[in-house]
Amino acid sequence: MPLPVPVPPEGVDPAWLPPAAFRPLGSRRTLIRGSGPLVDTVHGEVAEACARFGGRVVRDAGPGAAPYDLVLAVTGSGGEEFTCARRDGTTTVTAAGPAGLLYGLFHVVRLGEDAFRAGRAPETHRPAVASRMLDHWDNVAVHPVMGQVERGYAGGSLFWADGRARGDLERVRAYGRLLAACGINAVAVNNVNVHAVEAHLLTDRIGEVAAIADALRPYGVRTHLSVTFAAPVVLGGLPTADPLEEAVRAWWARATRRVYEAIPDFGGYVVKADSEGQPGPFAYGRSHADGANALAAALEPYGGTVHWRAFVYDHRQDWRDRTTDRARAAHDHFTPLDGAFAPNAVLQVKHGPMDFQVREPVSPLIGAMPRTRLAVEVQATQEYTGQQRHVCWLGPMWSEVLRFRPDGRTPVGELARGGLVAVSNAGDDPFWTGHPLAQANLYTFGRLAWQPDAEPRALLDEWIALTHPDAPGRLAAGLHAVLDGSWRTYEKYTAPLGVGFMVQPGHHYGPSVDGYEYSPWGTYHFADRDGVGVDRSRATGTGYAGQYAEPWARLYESPDTCPDELLLFFHHVPYGHVLHSGRTVIQHIYDTHFEGVAEVERARAVWASLAGLMDPARHARAAQRYEEQLRGAREWRDQVNSYFFRKSGVPDRRGRRIY
Amino acid sequence: MPLPVPVPPEGVDPAWLPPAAFRPLGSRRTLIRGSGPLVDTVHGEVAEACARFGGRVVRDAGPGAAPYDLVLAVTGSGGEEFTCARRDGTTTVTAAGPAGLLYGLFHVVRLGEDAFRAGRAPETHRPAVASRMLDHWDNVAVHPVMGQVERGYAGGSLFWADGRARGDLERVRAYGRLLAACGINAVAVNNVNVHAVEAHLLTDRIGEVAAIADALRPYGVRTHLSVTFAAPVVLGGLPTADPLEEAVRAWWARATRRVYEAIPDFGGYVVKADSEGQPGPFAYGRSHADGANALAAALEPYGGTVHWRAFVYDHRQDWRDRTTDRARAAHDHFTPLDGAFAPNAVLQVKHGPMDFQVREPVSPLIGAMPRTRLAVEVQATQEYTGQQRHVCWLGPMWSEVLRFRPDGRTPVGELARGGLVAVSNAGDDPFWTGHPLAQANLYTFGRLAWQPDAEPRALLDEWIALTHPDAPGRLAAGLHAVLDGSWRTYEKYTAPLGVGFMVQPGHHYGPSVDGYEYSPWGTYHFADRDGVGVDRSRATGTGYAGQYAEPWARLYESPDTCPDELLLFFHHVPYGHVLHSGRTVIQHIYDTHFEGVAEVERARAVWASLAGLMDPARHARAAQRYEEQLRGAREWRDQVNSYFFRKSGVPDRRGRRIY
């Protein structure tokens, strides 16, 4: 039986699945072979498209019913792999299992008319990593400081409202569909900072999680839950959460059994432990492997996984203490534990050593734990990259990370055997992501998680074609013009040369060069009248550079070989230091900040020229946000330039206005 | 009939009215002559004291009932004046009216045994200003950002809880008693930022205000209400709040009539208009005199007053614009309106031109409006002076302000014909003011409002003797040691030489040297590698110095004559500029910051030595807060010194540790 395609509420943007994207498929004759819920989903998609565009679809017909333009067939019982081939006027998608058929279907949608082009060579697609996950930092109860969605810039939560799971989950079903169409197969439905109300999702409120899981399941998305390490105490009434205590382990086993009774295909737990105030195993003198393994043991009988975050550092640091280096923390904490984690424990590592800055080196922990399943976490929600009021397409940054070879040989995309994870940027905003162009980040993440060595520009082509199926080439060119370089533009007008932070404390929007300079957060730039940057060399600094394997340790160690864009992350240099670009550091700061604003001005003009080529509401929303981006970029430019001019006393060579 | 003395809830500190302070009075024979509610209050006080200490009290007895140790007699029907004389073994307090008798009673309490000493010369006391007022920045509904009490550091509100007036107002009665004992006779019961819920106090919720007025009235405290200028629109449904519109004036007249029906001795309105987002007459092209006079006209038939705040400035300033000077704003806005305000409109002026910094010059508006009734506003709640976690006795600062002679002749204390106002520092904290020593600020304000030329140290003596009536001299000496110089200590370790701000944005607690440097609030220091300070001279700066009359305009104009403590308020000078003290600016910054911390360390030690000499809970609360003060003072010292060392590059002459 075909499963009806979910219909999001009136006024919600179709994102990359507008009906018109289904015209090529929907005007064909399609045969579907196979059974099971996901095949019913595929059937529903094709049936809906055919109803709209005049094609037809049959299920499991005998040989006499031919001919078909498209055959979608499941040949086995599992796997996400599929092969797409064209022969004798028929395109055939053969999938190893129902999930593969679902991904194959959306592959056909992406191909459009091209899927039916004669002479197409057969292609086989399989995801590089099994787990392609979104972490939602959604709170059930509105948090007094962080709100409904922590670091959320797209309205409320898709899952939660008014302190409970939403009653109408049709939009969650539509969300699952969008995720499947870009390859995402796992979602953690609540914030890794687990507050009092949210802790109960694990036990007495698991029914609400189960309802969300039911809504996501038809599109092959498994549900995960963030839990508090202190659950045995706060929920179970035990005197301890010591992971080696038998009573604690028994509690986790019981709690987990009940979770699986409610959600048989439950994905597992996500845990932020001993991090920014969350409880963890340190309180009991236990290691993070002890902690993770206790939960892994409870999940193991059911095939579940614990995602254990490696974001452990001292957030009560004394800024006067220059020997402590937050960048070192994850590597220092976790590399001694390599090999100690259970097979179903995944260590979830942020891509950089700090916290999702616009530019960081790749975390040296990735590649340093060969006997541990690592997942790499990126941040689609633009906490430090413009909060979805600024355009900042992160595909190129993520691609750089995934292609980076920590040992000089193996790219991060292959080392991430435990999966790829993004902090979601989606909410109940009509455009899903606040800024309509931020949809491109969500799409690109899913596709990169499927194929980490994909060309990000090619993925952007896909997103553009799906989102605007009938658009003229001028629109595609315009979208490339405003998106392709937007990450580097954002980098230019914000914190220079890898130094990071310089944001307003707390909410992290807008510039404050000294905002975190005397804070306990371990995020400093040490600018004085002579120079700026953090000495993380082995020779004279914190030694962080030495956490890398070669060739990186050597390369990062010296300002002469360190890449320009990371110079201030690794070195404290005089303002007159000459970069590989030939510019001094101070002139680079001035130049890039003026350039960045000029680039936003151009992007805004390009966007204005695209009016009339898309849904007016979509255009207007982004046009509004370009005004704010330009205001913000100018504020960044003027504050950063003024700050460094006042400190260095070095005038701009080109004599531009600095305040 | 004697009115029973209010009994605050168990555990609430008696502040400066502990029972023992009434021993000298309570062990005497007292005759009370006069009638009316306030005389009943006096009667209740004496009766309570006598019941405790074995004295006796009679009311309106004939001549045969003598002898008496004390006669308290009202001779007229009005006035706050009283005379205290000793003759033939009897102390007589003769008051012009019942209120005078109440103040005379508390005068006798303050004098203690001295009131009954033979040979006392007769003294007459009358308040220098008729209105001695506290503004409570209390919200009815907890504000999402500002909480129950805006800038409140003493727990919740005394008046409001859970979105309504407290049901049990016994503590408000006790509060009124404390206020009467230091001479305060007016209270505005809600925040000058009038939010949606609070707006309704003026109309449908006036009953709650009336209940509070009933609780304050027995101690001679009149109730005032902060109202929104937009009330005719938001409450009255009118299309405009234009103060010259007849319908608007009629609305105010009607609303005010109903207020007086509920509260016959209602004091009047307090209005923050066209200020930090509050609505005002500018929206209708009207002047602030137009605005104030519309409300004054409504109040006039009932003898009410409108307090119209002069805190009008552009809080959306561009930090890049050095021509706009927030310090100029009040003078620029209001001096052209001198003579235009109604007789019952009081222009309420903050004592400094900025916003309650630890050091500011006296506002040039005071003295510049001879044909306007001015009230001078100070801030007892320690928003910028340590938030009642740091000890900062403000008596000396307020005294300096009140003795300042804007025209070289008349002190501020005399120019403030419209009254003296303090933003209250009291809340439902067991110690009323958070830090027990902050009680001294509330007491000192009341007494200075009564007598602006009083010696603050003498007032502190009063407060010490009342609060600790049985204490040995060692305790009094210790309290002087920790309080006398605490304001200058706070000044030393925070923002130097009058420059102000340098606080954490938003909550204003703790240092952030650049916290407001690139903000829209008009609060800048312009520090660069060469120097620091704001040029407000006429010759080369914003011209603010020219708003003063002579001799101040001339004195402030030049760095050579400007007092050291205000140098950076008026001038931008190089770090090497030599102060009158003989030190350079940069060395002054280093020295005072090290000194300030050393002084806190000494004060903490003195406090520790006072254990056992007072209520242990009181000692423990302050001891705890000294730990926080010391931590905070060190943080200020290290951040400020590091900031200026990094910027100036000038080493400390004494080679102390700067980070």
Side-chain angles (χ1 to χ4, degrees), chain B residues 148-420:
Chain B
Q148 183 80 64
V149 181
E150 181 160 334
R151 311 304 180 188
Y153 314 105
S157 167
L158 289 163
F159 307 125
W160 316 99
D162 300 328
R164 58 183 63 83
R166 286 179 179 276
D168 178 358
L169 294 175
E170 187 70 0
R171 187 157 183 194
V172 173
R173 280 184 277 275
Y175 183 54
R177 181 176 180 244
L178 285 171
L179 300 188
C182 65
I184 291 164
N185 66 355
V187 164
V189 296
N190 65 311
N191 190 358
V192 291
N193 290 314
V194 180
H195 306 296
V197 165
E198 292 75 8
H200 287 267
L201 295 176
L202 174 60
T203 52
D204 46 306
R205 296 183 63 173
I206 191 67
E208 294 169 72
V209 183
I212 294 167
D214 290 345
L216 291 170
R217 186 176 297 111
Y219 282 89
V221 177
R222 278 173 90 180
T223 295
H224 296 241
L225 188 67
S226 296
V227 298
T228 171
F229 188 77
V233 176
V234 299
L235 299 172
L238 298 187
T240 175
D242 182 344
L244 300 192
E245 273 287 333
E246 199 39 58
V248 169
R249 300 172 74 85
W251 188 88
W252 279 110
R254 269 197 315 278
T256 304
R257 188 181 70 233
R258 291 196 191 113
V259 168
Y260 277 90
E261 283 165 11
I263 311 168
D265 62 347
F266 179 68
Y269 300 136
V270 179
V271 186
K272 176 177 180 179
D274 289 320
S275 174
E276 298 181 338
Q278 294 291 310
F282 285 165
Y284 308 101
R286 307 303 183 189
S287 79
H288 275 246
D290 293 333
N293 292 347
L295 276 67
L299 289 159
E300 195 275 333
Y302 314 99
T305 303
V306 59
H307 282 79
W308 192 267
R309 291 177 92 234
F311 188 52
V312 175
Y313 71 99
D314 177 7
H315 72 292
R316 289 274 169 261
Q317 188 177 331
D318 190 332
W319 60 268
R320 300 167 187 83
D321 162 25
R322 294 215 189 179
T323 64
T324 301
D325 181 3
R326 169 170 165 181
R328 291 187 58 116
H331 190 279
D332 284 346
H333 279 301
F334 285 98
T335 52
L337 300 176
D338 189 29
F341 285 91
N344 65 327
V346 166
L347 189 63
Q348 184 166 320
V349 184
K350 292 195 183 195
H351 70 83
M354 297 298 282
D355 192 16
F356 300 134
Q357 300 304 292
V358 70
R359 176 72 71 174
E360 295 186 37
V362 171
S363 169
L365 190 56
I366 305 170
M369 299 189 68
R371 293 177 296 151
T372 305
R373 281 176 71 200
L374 289 191
V376 174
E377 179 180 321
V378 301
Q379 194 182 41
T381 194
Q382 293 170 234
E383 177 177 1
Y384 291 101
T385 51
Q387 304 197 351
Q388 284 131 263
R389 286 181 268 185
H390 297 221
V391 177
C392 185
W393 178 51
L394 294 164
M397 177 170 94
W398 296 335
S399 176
E400 277 189 18
V401 169
L402 294 169
R403 293 170 187 224
F404 182 83
R405 294 164 193 268
D407 55 0
R409 292 185 311 276
T410 320
V412 166
E414 287 180 35
L415 293 168
R417 293 183 296 119
L420 290 168

Side-chain angles (χ1 to χ4, degrees), chain A residues 70-95:
Chain A
L70 176 64
V71 176
L72 302 169
V74 178
T75 57
S77 62
E80 296 178 314
E81 181 177 331
F82 65 87
T83 298
C84 180
R86 177 85 184 168
R87 202 170 55 188
D88 301 336
T90 300
T91 298
T92 305
V93 173
T94 319

Side-chain angles (χ1 to χ4, degrees), chain A residues 319-320 322 514 517-518 526-530 634-635 638-639 642-643 646-649 657 659, chain B residues 319-320 322 514 517-518 526-530 634-635 638-639 642-643 645-649 659:
Chain A
W319 59 269
R320 301 166 187 83
R322 295 216 188 179
D514 271 2
E517 189 57 16
Y518 302 94
F526 301 124
D528 62 19
R529 73 199 318 259
D530 303 313
R634 287 174 175 156
E635 193 63 31
D638 291 339
Q639 285 200 32
S642 295
Y643 179 97
R646 290 185 190 179
K647 223 153 200 169
S648 71
R657 183 75 186 267
Y659 297 88
Chain B
W319 60 268
R320 300 167 187 83
R322 294 215 189 179
D514 271 2
E517 190 58 17
Y518 301 95
F526 301 124
D528 61 19
R529 72 198 320 256
D530 303 315
R634 287 176 175 155
E635 193 65 31
D638 291 340
Q639 285 199 32
S642 295
Y643 180 96
F645 174 65
R646 290 184 190 180
K647 224 154 198 168
S648 71
Y659 297 89

Side-chain angles (χ1 to χ4, degrees), chain A residues 461-510:
Chain A
D461 278 333
E462 290 179 12
W463 177 77
I464 291 170
L466 282 170
T467 305
H468 305 278
D470 302 317
R474 190 156 72 79
L475 176 56
L479 288 166
H480 271 294
V482 300
L483 284 165
D484 286 359
S486 58
W487 165 51
R488 284 175 190 277
T489 296
Y490 191 84
E491 181 182 27
K492 281 182 177 182
Y493 64 74
T494 57
L497 297 166
V499 76
F501 292 89
M502 302 190 170
V503 290
Q504 294 274 348
H507 58 70
H508 301 165
Y509 187 74

